[in-house]
Amino acid sequence: MSGPNVWSRSRERIRRFPELFAQCAGEAAAYGKCVAATTTGRQELTKDLCAKEFEALKTCFTNAGHKLHFLFVKHSFCSIWTERH
């Protein structure tokens, strides 16, 4: 069962996401360009199609999170994305 601390931590993660994203703008842009380029027309995005760019973004988020004393990637965005793709 979740307690109030779970929601506080979740809100804190969401609040800090813009800081993390700003530190990783180049990596995010490269990943976005890869996804856009590989899904033009009717092609679907498949696992590992942009793996190199995704790993760079994931590493950047992890490093930015450590700098902010905040482990964002391990528990949210990338874990969810990796499970679904």
Side-chain angles (χ1 to χ4, degrees):
M1 181 171 250
S2 63
N5 288 338
V6 171
W7 297 111
S8 295
R9 287 190 306 260
S10 294
R11 278 192 292 272
E12 182 65 16
R13 285 186 185 118
I14 296 300
R15 187 185 70 73
R16 289 192 180 217
F17 183 76
E19 294 174 58
L20 294 172
F21 192 77
Q23 292 183 28
C24 301
E27 291 82 352
Y31 178 65
K33 286 178 185 177
C34 179
V35 169
T38 57
T39 58
T40 55
R42 295 181 170 218
Q43 184 177 355
E44 292 184 24
L45 184 63
T46 58
K47 185 176 180 175
D48 297 332
L49 201 55
C50 296
K52 181 178 86 173
E53 293 83 356
F54 178 75
E55 284 301 317
L57 180 58
K58 181 178 173 181
T59 298
C60 184
F61 275 151
T62 300
N63 292 338
H66 285 293
K67 289 177 187 174
L68 295 171
H69 303 287
F70 179 72
L71 298 174
F72 176 75
V73 176
K74 184 176 179 185
H75 298 293
S76 56
F77 172 73
C78 289
S79 297
I80 293 167
W81 193 91
T82 303
E83 290 172 11
R84 292 185 179 169
H85 293 84

